[in-house]
Amino acid sequence: MAVLPDPSATRAVLIGTSRYAHLEQIPAVANNLSALAAALCAPGSWGLAPEHCTVIEDPATAVEVLDAIRTAAEEATDTLLVYFAGHGLVEPRRGELFLGLTGSIQHRSYTGLPYGTLRDVVLDGRAGRQVMLLDCCFSGRVLGFMSAAGAEAVIDQVEIEGTYLLASVPDTSFALAPPGERHTAFTGELLRLLRQGVPGGPELLDLDTVYAQVYAALRAKGRPLPQKRDRNTAGGLALARNAAWAPPGFGPPPPPYDHEPAASAPSAPEPVPLPVVPPMPSWSPMALPSPAPLPAPGGASPGRRRAVTYGLAGALFVALVAAGIPLAMSWMKGSSKDDSGHNTSKSSSTPKPRPTSGNNAAAEGSVVNPSTKSGGTLKFISKDDADSWDPQRSYYGFVWNFSRYYARQLVTYAPKPGKDGTELVPDLAERKAEVTDGGKTYTYTLRAGITWEDGTAITSQDIKYGIERIWAQDTVSGGPTFIQQALDPGHTYKGPYKDTSKDKLGLKAIQTPDDRTIVFKLPKANGDFERMLATPSASPVKKTKDTKGKYQANPFSSGPYKFGSYEPRTSLELIRNTEWKRASDPIRTALPDRITVNIGSDEQTNTKALFAGDYDLDLESSGLTAASLAQATSSSGLRARLDSPSNGMLLFAALPRSVKPLNNVHCRKAVLYAADRENMRTAAGGPQTGDIAPHILPPTIVGSDSSYDPYGTLDNKGKPDADKAEAELKACGEPNGFRTTIAVRNNRPAEVAVAMSLQASLRKVGITTEVAQVDGSRFSETIGAPATVKKKGYGIVLYRWLADFPTGQSFLQPLADSRFILPTGNFNVAELDDPTVDDLFDTAIAEQDPAKAGSDYAQIDRRISDSAAYLPILFQKSVIWRGSRLTNVYTSEPWEGRYDYVSLGVSE
């Protein structure tokens, strides 16, 4: 039975190191400390007196920490809780854990606080129960080489009689402290649970229940999983009262919980049974584009949508005006569209010659500096490391692009500029799939001569094994799972590490009759399946070289380059794979002898080095900062190397039907007619940020129609139509206008500026709005809950969206299929509920002809426009920079408008 500790006889010591002299900073740790202290002292939790909760932030010495713990251990007679967040150091010979202090140094574990010493001080105290919460790395940059088994050994060291240890064991620092989130991944879920509780759960949340729920939440988000150790009855100690608890018979039934139980964790207790989510459509969407992805419907663990990093950092509009640069920039020459987004070029049977150098040349379908010269070193710079270099674990768009240097797939995208790059072509396979059985069976024959970096042949079993790793979400987490959803929607297969078949190739949906034949059996036809196979998650992995969670440190190469050296958060070097055969690879030019990536967190320093010619391009290519753009546009030499490609992203607003009076279609249409899109584009940063969007389907998706302008947006050059807006207000019974709230994330200054611009234009027709700046780290969680949206009156929700692969299924279905409206993790924020749209999705997804599927998606686009469920704002662009040494430079749509990395060379 769960019991709360006596607050007068209980003590807590919270330790966190966020600032380091020699290691990577972790700002989220400081937020952890203040939030956790507040939670423990809250009446609904333990109710500790503030003087009984000691917070030690950024300790410099071990003595400082140990003295505080010793004092608390002597005072506590009921329970002692000790929490630590920060870097962890592991002594390589003995595997002993050291906790990072401000002066700790990598590879010098003695500069940290020995966990064994801390444990002994706790053990010497008077408390009958000890709770140890550790939120620190056992691998990654600081630890480098520790295996999962090693992590278990370290945890075994910390077992204390009567103690409950809950430890976060992330594989990389990205998982430990997700970019853009207020808290670290583990502590963030713990805090969410303490604040929100478990609907339908027990009155008291004991430690075993807390562990199960945090485990399940992290697993559902595709994040590394915590581990626990406990002795005696410590698991029954309550960490908090359940904030969502209601006595039986009181209140409405609880909503479905937002993730599945932690069934894959042998030691994890099952969460409280809760209502089941309705069956899923044929494909489960990826997470909303944000640093903190939400779980997919039905308990699926979707991983992360490719990181959305495009856009100009900061308030670009303000920065450019302050720099004296006009918003309608003349350097954006050569564009085929005018400022309203109209296409100004005329069709001709003979293509117009395109420039092969100069401003925007690489974004206009040209190949800049074409060359077949090999040799030299291609030099990347980046402010961020990869989320993972493991092909099955990566979800960052720039990593998908870069990984093709060492990871191949059955099919991939054509090495061509612009939209031509979206063509699927054979890679490891001799030809594209033979599709039979009404679109449910895909058969491939592998090329002859394809080899691993050790010279052995790549086989169909290697491809199957690599794909099967997607199922091992408890070990290989973070990447997309749409292939899993397409092949095994019921998750009947448990992954290769739990496979009981003799060859560890037990996934029946993939068959390998011989070494060069592979057959995929889908339960339902899916015309986009080959595009799923073109992602890195479908890369082969040689079973004997699979190091599971450590594979990301040195993936075994199937491409023209292999890992030479890698220092996480510091540098990466690729060298030639001498066993790669050019004749077996029609895609990769493999011109450079060597490829290097320098990783540094100072964006301005990185840009300065780029402009100075020390590096060839930014690995992320997510858009120059305002200051860097101002510098580049004021210099003719730098301006000539700027490109502004479309990146496939849509900036838009959802108009949720649950919020009155937006439940009336005419009120929604009034918003669309009253919106001044041209002013919103100016607020976003001007024409270089994108083309005005007349409808929701970007031009990068088959089915998009550039002439479709249902609200006269392009005809009016993005300006509002006040007369029609006022007529729609009368039709919806609000002739004098109405009030509502615009929700926007608070960590995107440009988006806040767009929201304020929209507020100003709506005010002119009597629609009064409040701009609510929602915590960016919780934005996806907030707008993904329809009940929260309704309660807070968010009648307009501003955000961005990007497809994982360029089809209507990937882009539109999460936004418009009514079967995707869920209590949590909701992507259809507008709550569009149209049975005709749902039927069109089923038809389009089963269709094998992209043109016919595109026709269905065009119909869906029109029905969405008719419903006024969404306010399209911009088909977005990014501003990126190419170095003068680069050859064969062009942007390509499949890579979110980035340069096609595998075609690049360098001139010395």
Side-chain angles (χ1 to χ4, degrees), residues 651-668:
L651 175 66
F652 68 118
L655 310 180
R657 293 187 176 196
S658 60
V659 180
K660 294 181 179 180
L662 279 309
N663 60 329
N664 187 301
V665 65
H666 295 289
C667 285
R668 297 195 298 270

Side-chain angles (χ1 to χ4, degrees), residues 29-40:
V29 167
N31 299 329
N32 289 358
L33 293 177
S34 58
L36 188 56
L40 293 176

Side-chain angles (χ1 to χ4, degrees), residues 288-289 308 310 646-654 677 689-701 704 745 748 751 797-803 811-812 815 861 864 870-877:
L288 198 67
V308 178
Y310 276 109
S646 297
N647 54 43
M649 191 181 301
L650 176 73
L651 175 66
F652 68 118
R677 290 172 174 84
T689 61
D691 297 324
I692 291 172
H695 53 86
I696 199 172
L697 195 58
T700 53
I701 306 296
S704 180
R745 68 192 82 196
R748 299 284 179 86
E751 291 181 20
V797 179
L798 188 74
Y799 64 115
R800 301 186 293 170
W801 190 257
L802 177 70
F811 188 88
L812 283 178
L815 300 177
D861 187 24
I864 293 173
Y870 292 100
L871 164 63
I873 301 172
L874 292 178
F875 295 138
Q876 293 202 284
K877 295 182 177 181

Side-chain angles (χ1 to χ4, degrees), residues 203-217:
E203 181 179 2
L204 297 179
L205 298 179
D206 61 63
L207 286 164
D208 281 341
T209 300
V210 168
Y211 168 64
Q213 298 294 351
V214 171
Y215 184 104

Side-chain angles (χ1 to χ4, degrees), residues 512-579:
T512 54
D514 55 60
D515 286 351
R516 291 186 59 198
T517 304
I518 187 165
V519 183
F520 299 89
K521 297 280 190 177
L522 280 66
K524 291 183 179 180
N526 195 315
D528 290 339
F529 185 65
E530 277 204 288
R531 295 197 178 273
M532 299 178 190
L533 293 179
T535 63
S537 56
S539 302
V541 172
K542 191 171 185 177
K543 184 165 58 175
T544 58
K545 298 296 182 179
D546 181 13
T547 53
K548 300 182 180 179
K550 296 196 299 180
Y551 191 69
Q552 60 194 3
N554 188 14
F556 203 60
S557 177
S558 57
Y561 298 94
K562 61 183 180 180
F563 273 47
S565 62
Y566 173 47
E567 288 290 332
R569 292 274 194 164
T570 302
S571 63
L572 169 66
E573 176 192 39
L574 299 184
I575 59 177
R576 284 198 183 276
N577 171 13
T578 56
E579 297 297 333

Side-chain angles (χ1 to χ4, degrees), residues 706-730:
S706 61
S707 66
Y708 179 52
D709 189 14
Y711 292 90
T713 303
L714 299 183
D715 287 340
N716 292 334
K717 298 186 181 299
K719 303 307 289 184
D721 190 327
D723 291 340
K724 289 186 177 180
E726 291 169 357
E728 294 293 346
L729 286 172
K730 291 179 183 178

Side-chain angles (χ1 to χ4, degrees), residues 123-191:
L123 189 60
D124 289 341
R126 299 191 297 160
R129 292 169 295 206
Q130 298 90 10
V131 179
M132 314 291 291
L133 304 178
L134 298 180
D135 192 353
C136 62
C137 300
F138 289 138
S139 61
R141 176 181 179 179
V142 179
L143 310 178
F145 48 81
M146 190 153 193
S147 66
E152 289 284 343
V154 171
I155 293 177
D156 286 340
Q157 295 177 15
V158 303
E159 290 188 349
I160 307 168
E161 198 69 17
T163 289
Y164 197 101
L165 170 67
L166 186 52
S168 168
V169 189
D171 299 277
T172 70
S173 55
F174 278 96
L176 177 65
E181 295 192 19
R182 183 169 178 78
H183 303 288
T184 57
F186 169 80
T187 301
E189 290 300 333
L190 176 63
L191 289 168

